[in-house]
Amino acid sequence: MRYALLMHYGEPAEGDLSEQALSEAMRAFDVYGKALEKAGVLLSADVLQPTVASTTVTHREGSLRVQDGPFAETKEALAGVFLIDVADLDAAIGWAAKCPAAQWGVVEVRPVSTAFVGGGWTR
């Protein structure tokens, strides 16, 4: 079963993280990603740029609206996604517990409803 591990945490301001802290976090994510890959469960992993780099698009009543920035102001932001394929929720929770982001934020475990794979939607 496919699960998205959605990492949410507060975005540090410029200079809030020391080079050492940033380097340690990158190392921890590298180890985590390689462990997921070695276990054969990793489908993809993406770390997102800060919310200030986002663009929000809406299309209502025939009108397109493109806006700089996130849809809503929040204390925590979606920072990245690991997509994994594991046997069940317990296995997904086990991997979420090992995610470095769980130390300073929240890792939301969400089952994937459907996916576009091989030219079509799965059931």
Side-chain angles (χ1 to χ4, degrees), residues 24-50:
E24 288 172 6
M26 290 172 67
R27 214 171 13 261
F29 275 108
D30 185 57
V31 168
Y32 180 67
K34 287 177 179 172
L36 288 166
E37 192 171 59
K38 184 176 180 182
V41 300
L42 182 63
L43 298 176
S44 68
D46 293 290
V47 174
L48 303 176
Q49 291 190 20

Side-chain angles (χ1 to χ4, degrees), residues 1-3 5 36 39-43 83-93 95 109:
M1 177 143 189
R2 293 165 69 110
Y3 287 89
L5 306 182
L36 288 166
V41 300
L42 182 63
L43 298 176
L83 186 61
I84 60 174
D85 192 351
V86 294
D88 55 29
L89 178 59
D90 289 336
I93 290 170
W95 282 108
V109 178

Side-chain angles (χ1 to χ4, degrees), residues 56-93:
T56 304
V57 177
T58 55
H59 195 245
R60 304 279 192 282
E61 300 172 4
S63 180
L64 177 66
R65 182 174 177 203
V66 179
Q67 175 181 325
D68 289 339
F71 174 71
E73 293 292 323
T74 61
K75 290 184 179 183
E76 292 186 337
L78 178 61
V81 179
F82 285 91
L83 186 61
I84 60 174
D85 192 351
V86 294
D88 55 29
L89 178 59
D90 289 336
I93 290 170

